[in-house]
Amino acid sequence: MTDALELDALWEDFHRAVNMTSQELTAWLRVRDAGEDTEPLPEQAGTDTGQHVLAILQKRRTDLTEDDLRVMRKVVDTVDEQTDPENEPEPEATEGDTRRRHRLMTLGHDPSRA
């Protein structure tokens, strides 16, 4: 298990990277997977990682598992790699920017937020 200082740092990094609430993430995962005629059950919407992020958001720090910690590290690393905090989002996003934003939102990070 991770020591207390590492856990504290990871918890803070994760909650910095995941800037959507659990309600916002739930809604996004459902919208993302909805088709013209069907919509998945809420607990089945989105990617496995997106669902795991949602589960982590609903846990206390003391209830985290090793698998949770692995996913938290993955999310923090992915968000850090794909975002540049020094640059603000451009007013007119390109199609590539929109796809990138939607991928990050699946992890609970909306890059259009400050």
Side-chain angles (χ1 to χ4, degrees), residues 2 24 28 33 35 37 41 47 52 76 81 91 95 103-104:
T2 306
E24 291 168 331
W28 169 249
D33 278 4
D37 299 323
L41 295 171
T47 63
H52 202 143
V76 169
E81 287 172 6
E95 186 176 327
R103 275 193 314 273
L104 288 168

Side-chain angles (χ1 to χ4, degrees), residues 22-41:
S22 59
Q23 293 86 2
E24 291 168 331
L25 180 55
T26 298
W28 169 249
L29 293 175
R30 288 181 67 189
V31 166
R32 179 188 169 276
D33 278 4
E36 284 186 34
D37 299 323
T38 62
E39 183 176 322
L41 295 171

Side-chain angles (χ1 to χ4, degrees), residues 87-95 97-98 101 111-112:
N87 295 325
E88 301 212 5
E90 296 180 17
E92 294 183 31
T94 65
E95 186 176 327
D97 289 337
T98 300
R101 177 177 181 239
S112 68

